[in-house]
Amino acid sequence: MPKKRELNEYSVDPAAQQMLARAEELGLETAFSRADKMVPCNIGSAGMCCKQCGMGPCRLTKSGEVGVCGATLDTIQARNLARSIAAGAAAHSDHGRDMAFLLKAVANEETEGYSIRDVAKLRIVAAKYDIPIEGRSPQEIANDLADLYISQFGQQRGEVAPVRRAPIKRQRIWQERGVGPRGVDREIVETLHRTHIGDDQDAEHILEHAVRTALSDGWGGSMIATDISDILFGTPAPLLGRANLGVIRANMVNVVVHGHEPSLSEMIVAASQDPEIIAYAKAAGAAGVNLSGICCTANEILMRQGIPAAGNFLQQELAIMTGAVEAMVVDVQCIMQALVGLAANFHTQIITTSPKVRIKGATHIQFDEHHALTIARTILKSAIDNYKNRDAAKTRIPDAQEDLIPGFSHEYINYMLGGSYRASFRPLNDAIMSGRIRGVAAIVGCNNPRSTHDYLHDKVTTELLKQDVLVVQTGCGAIASAKIGLMLGEAGLDQVGPGLREICETVGIPPVLHMGSCVDNTRILTVLTQMVEEGGLGDDIDQIPAVGLAPEWMSEKALSIAAYCVASGAYVIFGGSSPVSGMPDRVDDSDIVLKHISAGWEKAYGGKLEFIPDVDEMIRRALAHIDQKRAALGLPEYDPAKFGASGDGKMLALESLPIEQKRAALYGAGA
Ligand code: BF8
């Protein structure tokens, strides 16, 4: 029987716990309580159900059993995983396509409210593809870049252009294995074709095409999305932000933007600062309009505009539960259908905006880049009109928020490490080579109500920091760290290892760097490539002492990210359950799929994917991998005792000592 959990088993975030207590008080359901009631299907969750044709669904539960067509468990698992990767790639890359069309429209001056904010990035990106830049206007360059990028999605033959940004050795590996990605549209269609009844029936062969599909996302659609977001809205640089439900304001009209696209949310930010809108809000009795975000739309406007994040994926319902949200404006991806039913218990309007996403019962105000600012104003006025319907007696805003410094684009990290005249990754490579930084971990991805909200993110992050591992984050994982103060300049440094602390103090960075939304995992690929190009850490990504983790994954997008990171050379560890775990008591030789995505992919690409439910084991394997890569490079063995004897860290450690001991420690005995 499903069991209800204690509040602290639902979430480690006190703000979330308060809202979950409120849900119980009001008798309202959330994803947390629905997860308790909905026991996952153990056949489907292990990838053992095939529903690709009308002869099934075939559920394979015994060793050696096959489907009606004769499909084996391995074939079925590989098909299911490949289809999930294709769906994830589609979500990221279709967003990238929309950004490319937006860039084209902006270049042709057909839009309202947009401009090319980062001309320098436009020129740098265009030059990578040999688009002429000298003596040309930003619009002319943007027009050519938009045409090139639009053409990438349907490229039929040959690798997509951004692939040339990968290390040379990596490109050769892909070519030799025949997985150099063509356009994402072609790769996804081919995945669907190959996994249709009666097609590709060799699990490993299916999984190789899954790799190609994921690469067309990571080094194609997603990379394009990041480039264009930066060109149109500005490349992120550090600024001050805030995170958690306490950013919702009792005396203001609260508008929460949720989803993944910066195109409309950037216009809502602009419109919210319009004196006419502010006056309209004041006339309605509010102090103004307060914007905040959920999920990756939050990350997009947090890192560029400093707009606060109300929370990550599992906090979307909890934001409504505050009773103080006039409108939740959603675009695409990770939007729970339950929002509309929940909002009916309050006064919150759910406003859908994408031509691709409608929810029964929601208000639809369709986004159109030609009138974006006008639409943003309409949405804000609708929210302001709704302010009078707020029931103050039903309002509960948790007093919980934390400051953070987001905005660590790869361009900024480069500049920050080297300075404006000699931007370089040299100091980072040197710190890894000396052992001050043991290695790098990208801790990314979702929340999942099957595990305690934020617990795995927080645990893995804090433990790796203690071990001198520099952490970079995107997506909902980034918001988790922000909420516990790990992205706050030097404030979190008492929680990190001595060598890493020295580096953070010297460079002036937080120990956890917020690198953006989930499509911005491509920024991490760029950082890894630049570390290779800088020298000293091998000649390809798979040699760097680095690891990727998605401790609370749940979306198909995460699987696409995992596959393209593995194919780029990274060891990727997922927490929670494996979608290809198969039968626990399997007696035949196999588990071909599990072996292929770990040992098989490691042999082919130097990276591997593993699903590890135990958090301590996740951390142990991440550190073992980093140490093994250090040893392979001939770097000194990690030794925490070697560093941390200078700088603020030492002063902090000495603070509590009596003055004589402090003097002796600083100047030697007899001083
Ligand atoms: O794309 S981390 S829950 S919000 S899927 Fe969704 Fe997962 Fe959050 Fe951003 Ni990414």
Side-chain angles (χ1 to χ4, degrees):
M1 268 301 283
K3 190 174 133 275
K4 187 178 159 310
R5 291 171 279 172
E6 297 298 324
L7 283 181
N8 62 0
E9 293 175 289
Y10 284 129
S11 176
V12 291
D13 176 353
Q17 290 174 5
Q18 279 180 49
M19 285 296 95
L20 288 168
R22 178 75 176 142
E24 279 190 22
E25 201 178 299
L26 297 172
L28 297 174
E29 291 210 320
T30 62
F32 298 85
S33 58
R34 289 190 296 273
D36 286 343
K37 285 188 194 162
M38 177 62 65
V39 178
C41 164
N42 57 1
I43 301 169
S45 68
M48 303 190 298
C49 174
C50 182
K51 51 186 179 61
Q52 250 84 302
C53 83
M55 296 189 288
C58 296
R59 299 175 307 155
L60 272 51
T61 55
K62 294 186 203 72
S63 203
E65 203 173 19
V66 295
V68 174
C69 72
T72 62
L73 177 60
D74 307 305
T75 300
I76 289 170
Q77 286 182 317
R79 279 180 185 160
N80 287 334
L81 181 58
R83 283 196 166 207
S84 287
I85 288 171
H92 284 145
S93 293
D94 204 33
H95 159 57
R97 182 204 320 275
D98 287 342
M99 296 305 295
F101 279 117
L102 179 60
L103 181 65
K104 178 80 181 166
V106 174
N108 288 334
E109 298 179 352
E110 292 166 355
T111 58
E112 182 196 21
Y114 300 98
S115 60
I116 296 168
R117 288 215 197 129
D118 195 336
V119 176
K121 177 140 188 180
L122 169 70
R123 289 167 67 89
I124 290 167
V125 173
K128 287 183 201 296
Y129 305 116
D130 305 322
I131 292 172
I133 55 174
E134 292 313 327
R136 303 182 79 203
S137 71
Q139 284 72 19
E140 285 172 313
I141 301 169
N143 223 315
D144 285 356
L145 182 63
D147 285 342
L148 174 78
Y149 272 174
I150 290 166
S151 75
Q152 297 306 295
F153 293 87
Q155 174 143 313
Q156 299 303 312
R157 293 200 177 89
E159 292 163 5
V160 286
V163 164
R164 73 180 70 161
R165 290 154 69 172
I168 300 289
K169 194 172 168 194
R170 187 66 20 195
Q171 293 181 45
R172 284 208 201 101
I173 291 172
W174 295 335
Q175 281 155 7
E176 279 161 17
R177 294 196 61 82
V179 297
R182 301 158 296 185
V184 68
D185 294 356
R186 173 158 190 190
E187 303 303 4
I188 290 169
V189 167
E190 193 170 318
T191 299
L192 295 179
H193 179 190
R194 286 184 187 221
T195 54
H196 181 271
I197 160 77
D199 277 300
D200 203 350
Q201 290 154 44
D202 175 331
E204 290 164 349
H205 195 238
I206 292 168
L207 291 169
E208 282 310 279
H209 187 70
V211 163
R212 198 176 196 183
T213 306
L215 285 171
S216 71
D217 173 19
W219 293 91
S222 279
M223 196 166 272
I224 289 172
T226 296
D227 280 349
I228 299 178
S229 299
D230 286 353
I231 289 167
L232 289 179
F233 306 120
T235 301
L239 40 62
L240 188 62
R242 284 174 295 131
N244 216 342
L245 292 167
V247 305
I248 292 171
R249 304 280 293 273
N251 61 345
M252 297 178 90
V253 174
N254 289 296
V255 177
V256 180
V257 287
H258 170 25
H260 284 76
E261 298 197 320
S263 38
L264 175 61
S265 53
E266 282 279 348
M267 289 303 108
I268 293 182
V269 174
S272 71
Q273 288 151 10
D274 180 341
E276 187 199 321
I277 291 291
I278 295 169
Y280 195 71
K282 287 191 171 158
V289 175
N290 180 46
L291 283 188
S292 59
I294 296 274
C295 284
C296 284
T297 295
N299 286 321
E300 297 277 1
I301 54 175
L302 170 68
M303 66 182 168
R304 294 198 178 86
Q305 313 288 350
I307 301 296
N312 46 14
F313 174 69
L314 280 178
Q315 288 176 286
Q316 55 188 285
E317 292 173 295
L318 310 184
I320 292 175
M321 209 88 68
T322 63
V325 174
E326 275 57 54
M328 183 172 276
V329 184
V330 302
D331 47 65
V332 295
Q333 300 168 27
C334 302
I335 302 149
M336 293 189 195
Q337 187 166 357
L339 292 180
V340 172
L342 179 68
N345 296 283
F346 301 90
H347 70 306
T348 308
Q349 266 189 312
I350 305 295
I351 302 177
T352 51
T353 56
S354 167
K356 294 169 198 162
V357 174
R358 293 219 185 184
I359 309 176
K360 279 258 182 273
T363 304
H364 189 72
I365 303 178
Q366 192 150 311
F367 171 67
D368 171 0
E369 64 264 28
H370 301 97
H371 314 286
L373 205 50
T374 306
I375 292 165
R377 280 200 199 98
T378 305
I379 287 171
L380 289 182
K381 282 190 171 171
S382 174
I384 293 167
D385 291 341
N386 194 23
Y387 183 66
K388 62 178 179 299
N389 297 321
R390 190 193 294 180
D391 180 352
K394 267 185 149 178
T395 302
R396 303 277 190 289
I397 303 172
D399 181 20
Q401 56 179 303
E402 189 55 83
D403 288 342
L404 76 144
I405 300 173
F408 289 91
S409 53
H410 53 86
E411 287 89 346
Y412 189 83
I413 295 175
N414 202 357
Y415 155 74
M416 154 193 101
L417 289 170
S420 42
Y421 296 111
R422 50 180 182 89
S424 158
F425 273 78
R426 192 70 255 153
L428 177 59
N429 284 21
D430 285 346
I432 292 172
M433 290 164 72
S434 69
R436 275 189 173 79
I437 292 180
R438 186 172 182 173
V440 180
I443 305 174
V444 307
C446 321
N447 298 137
N448 187 328
R450 299 282 172 206
S451 63
T452 305
H453 169 233
D454 285 353
Y455 169 72
L456 293 174
H457 279 300
D458 294 353
K459 170 90 177 166
V460 172
T461 305
T462 50
E463 290 301 321
L464 290 182
L465 290 176
K466 283 183 208 158
Q467 298 292 326
D468 289 299
V469 175
L470 177 70
V471 174
V472 298
Q473 292 198 310
T474 60
C476 289
I479 299 175
S481 280
K483 289 188 291 178
I484 56 168
L486 294 176
M487 292 181 165
L488 242 198
E490 298 188 359
L493 291 186
D494 53 339
Q495 301 176 55
V496 314
L500 175 60
R501 189 171 59 212
E502 273 191 17
I503 297 295
C504 292
E505 285 168 355
T506 308
V507 183
I509 52 168
V512 180
L513 304 181
H514 189 317
M515 292 192 71
S517 65
C518 286
V519 288
D520 295 333
N521 283 310
T522 61
R523 294 190 202 278
I524 299 173
L525 297 178
T526 305
V527 167
L528 293 170
T529 303
Q530 293 188 345
M531 287 168 73
V532 168
E533 286 165 356
E534 189 58 51
L537 293 175
D539 59 359
D540 198 357
I541 292 172
D542 63 332
Q543 293 173 50
I544 298 176
V547 62
L549 299 112
E552 299 180 26
W553 82 279
M554 65 87 202
S555 92
E556 291 172 312
K557 289 180 285 174
L559 294 171
S560 176
I561 293 167
Y564 73 64
C565 286
V566 168
S568 302
Y571 175 28
V572 176
I573 300 172
F574 270 37
S577 68
S578 161
V580 288
S581 59
M583 294 170 199
D585 58 343
R586 195 157 179 191
V587 288
D588 53 7
D589 164 36
S590 46
D591 281 342
I592 287 177
V593 171
L594 272 179
K595 284 181 188 154
H596 189 73
I597 63 174
S598 52
W601 277 350
E602 186 169 36
K603 192 160 169 244
Y605 304 109
K608 60 182 172 181
L609 173 60
E610 289 179 344
F611 293 85
I612 303 172
D614 180 74
V615 67
D616 295 321
E617 182 62 10
M618 232 186 270
I619 294 162
R620 194 193 64 73
R621 286 207 217 172
L623 291 171
H625 178 81
I626 284 172
D627 289 345
Q628 185 219 322
K629 293 292 171 187
R630 291 187 64 84
L633 285 166
L635 300 179
E637 207 171 309
Y638 166 69
D639 175 7
K642 265 173 78 179
F643 302 105
S646 64
D648 300 347
K650 184 170 185 181
M651 295 311 291
L652 271 177
L654 297 180
E655 213 103 281
S656 55
L657 297 179
I659 184 69
E660 299 76 29
Q661 285 180 35
K662 199 187 280 186
R663 195 175 291 138
L666 282 171
Y667 309 114

